Amino acid sequence: MFQYYCLNPIAQVGLERFTEEFAQTENVNEAEGILVRSAAMHEMELSDNLLAVARAGAGVNNIPLDKCAEKGVVVFNTPGANANGVKELVIAGMLLASRDIIGGINWVEESKDNADIAKAAEKEKKRFAGTEVQDKKLGIIGLGAIGVKVANVAKHMGMEVYGYDPYVSVDAAWNLSRDVKHVLHVEDIYANCDIITIHVPLLDSTRGMIDKEAIEQMKDGVILLNFARDVLVKEEDVLEGIKTGKIRRYVSDFPNPVTAGQKNCIVIPHLGASTEESEENCARMAVKEMMEYLKNGNINNSVNYPSCNMGVCTQAGRVAIFHKNIANMITKFTACFGDAGINISDMTNKSRGEVAYTMLDIEEPASEEIIEKLKSVKGVFRVRVVK
């Protein structure tokens, strides 16, 4: 029986997916798996029982990835599960920025006691006039699950869409409208597009990528949308761009003191994935990932270990080894079984940066002595008997 613990409320439709082999515990130290949404885990003491953390969402900045990797704890996220909810809010943000809908609504609220409000509106509405998005050029930086959905909707809205992503996946490419212009340099997005939206992960290479230099390359009066991560944008530079007229409006889903309440900034309280459907999709996906790993050792959508799938073990045993990605490790592992006269019927080894994951299906169960030998190999983080 596997036990799991929920650090945050997780949609019941997801938890209902757990089979009878899994039970929820109220003691986090007993759990082999943790389900989490936004709870901060950096200061948590990770139990030796913990095998997996599944984040019901895409961002994992609340989870200590390196610490988990060194303890052989696999961290999963749910890419694409909330993509539609975010896509819809991006489109809403684009429309709010193109036409001063918020300003108009605020005027109506302020004028609610005016008996002649309808007549006054006809005089005042020119203050809130905007532009249509049809025929405008939309630049999308990052063609992942969300970026592709935004691109396809924008094409249906009559926009000319440019996409930039040097690492676009095969799946994303298949789902992307053939009418989207795939550019090779992000500077082409800056120079040509009336509206720019960012959908890249937070990496050292993307942190602060929208800065003064990037903004200076953009068209005058550009609309900038950020529904990915606030720190992708140097928002002080954005405010300066607004003052000079370079940026018409900035739309962000990440409230902070820099942009909250600032002129021509539309700041939304992180509602991108805050839909019933997104939360349910993320919960279902997180539970599926956790069950497959805990039961079979297979890894899918991990952010700190490589994807690895050997299906269901049909042999006497399966052993999973978490280790450093260094030379001669496989030779040492196989020697431990060979010296004991145990045949390895199937094996896979995958690496990701400085870490690696090896699974071996064996024709006899591994003894405690063999497991201890594997653990003693220099560079091994954890050895797990899956079956």
Side-chain angles (χ1 to χ4, degrees):
M1 177 74 73
F2 296 105
Q3 298 189 85
Y4 66 90
Y5 182 88
C6 297
L7 275 180
N8 295 107
I10 303 296
Q12 191 60 34
V13 294
L15 299 183
E16 289 172 355
R17 296 272 176 120
F18 277 119
T19 63
E20 65 278 0
E21 299 163 273
F22 294 82
Q24 188 168 1
T25 177
E26 296 302 317
N27 184 349
V28 66
N29 292 321
E30 293 179 350
E32 286 97 352
I34 288 178
L35 290 163
V36 61
R37 290 176 60 201
S38 59
M41 296 185 63
H42 286 279
E43 302 303 319
M44 279 184 62
E45 190 69 33
L46 301 181
S47 164
D48 290 340
N49 292 322
L50 184 64
L51 299 174
V53 175
R55 159 77 164 98
V60 290
N61 57 316
N62 57 319
I63 303 170
L65 301 183
D66 292 341
K67 180 179 175 182
C68 287
E70 291 170 2
K71 288 180 68 71
V73 175
V74 183
V75 179
F76 299 93
N77 69 345
T78 56
N82 58 14
N84 189 70
V86 178
K87 172 209 74 179
E88 291 184 359
L89 196 61
V90 171
I91 298 301
M94 182 170 64
L95 296 174
L96 289 173
S98 298
R99 306 176 69 171
D100 192 9
I101 298 169
I102 294 175
I105 292 172
N106 289 341
W107 178 86
V108 171
E109 178 67 22
E110 293 165 0
S111 306
K112 63 181 183 296
D113 297 326
N114 184 355
D116 295 322
I117 187 172
K119 185 176 180 181
E122 293 305 312
K123 293 181 179 180
E124 296 291 333
K125 66 181 184 182
K126 62 179 177 292
R127 290 170 46 196
F128 313 112
T131 55
E132 298 177 13
V133 299
Q134 183 171 310
D135 297 326
K136 298 298 185 298
K137 294 178 180 177
L138 173 67
I140 301 173
I141 302 174
L143 294 170
I146 298 168
V148 166
K149 287 182 178 292
V150 172
N152 292 343
V153 170
K155 285 302 302 179
H156 286 297
M157 296 173 72
M159 303 186 77
E160 188 176 342
V161 182
Y162 293 73
Y164 169 76
D165 192 332
Y167 309 109
V168 63
S169 69
V170 173
D171 286 343
W174 274 109
N175 291 322
L176 188 64
S177 168
R178 67 179 66 182
D179 295 322
V180 173
K181 299 176 181 179
H182 192 196
V183 300
L184 300 178
H185 306 285
V186 71
E187 291 78 11
D188 293 333
I189 296 284
Y190 300 153
N192 291 293
C193 295
D194 306 293
I195 304 170
I196 298 174
T197 182
I198 313 160
H199 300 286
V200 298
L202 176 59
L203 306 169
D204 289 341
S205 59
T206 59
R207 184 183 295 272
M209 66 177 293
I210 304 298
D211 56 9
K212 181 179 180 181
E213 182 180 352
I215 292 169
E216 287 175 347
Q217 299 177 60
M218 297 178 187
K219 296 174 69 173
D220 290 344
V222 69
I223 290 172
L224 183 61
L225 308 170
N226 181 9
F227 288 81
R229 287 288 180 271
D230 55 349
V231 292
L232 297 171
V233 176
K234 291 188 176 179
E235 295 186 323
E236 293 84 356
D237 293 346
V238 167
L239 295 182
E240 186 60 31
I242 291 172
K243 288 178 183 178
T244 64
K246 173 63 75 171
I247 297 175
R248 178 175 158 192
R249 282 199 179 89
Y250 174 60
V251 187
S252 169
D253 198 27
F254 308 99
N256 61 61
V258 177
T259 54
Q262 295 295 319
K263 184 179 179 181
N264 291 333
C265 290
I266 300 173
V267 184
I268 301 167
H270 203 190
L271 299 181
S274 293
T275 68
E276 181 179 334
E277 294 85 354
S278 287
E279 291 181 7
E280 290 179 352
N281 289 340
C282 288
R284 291 189 189 99
M285 191 170 179
V287 168
K288 180 180 179 181
E289 293 165 349
M290 181 175 288
M291 284 200 300
E292 180 60 26
Y293 171 66
L294 292 180
K295 288 175 63 175
N296 298 311
N298 297 321
I299 297 176
N300 187 39
N301 293 325
S302 172
V303 294
N304 66 341
Y305 272 98
S307 294
C308 186
N309 194 321
M310 283 179 57
V312 177
C313 179
T314 58
Q315 297 299 316
R318 172 174 288 178
V319 176
I321 308 170
F322 300 84
H323 56 95
K324 290 183 179 179
N325 183 23
I326 53 180
N328 208 33
M329 297 299 277
I330 304 303
T331 301
K332 294 176 181 178
F333 299 156
T334 55
C336 290
F337 293 101
D339 291 346
I342 296 178
N343 188 47
I344 299 170
S345 61
D346 197 5
M347 179 183 71
T348 186
N349 168 261
K350 301 290 183 180
S351 63
R352 179 174 185 161
E354 297 180 354
V355 300
Y357 183 62
T358 300
M359 278 200 295
L360 306 100
D361 284 358
I362 50 180
E363 295 182 358
E364 297 177 37
S367 65
E368 283 295 326
E369 182 181 358
I370 294 175
I371 298 303
E372 290 304 315
K373 281 186 178 181
L374 291 170
K375 289 179 179 179
S376 68
V377 174
K378 187 176 181 180
V380 168
F381 302 132
R382 183 176 210 152
V383 178
R384 179 186 171 215
V385 177
V386 179
K387 176 184 176 183

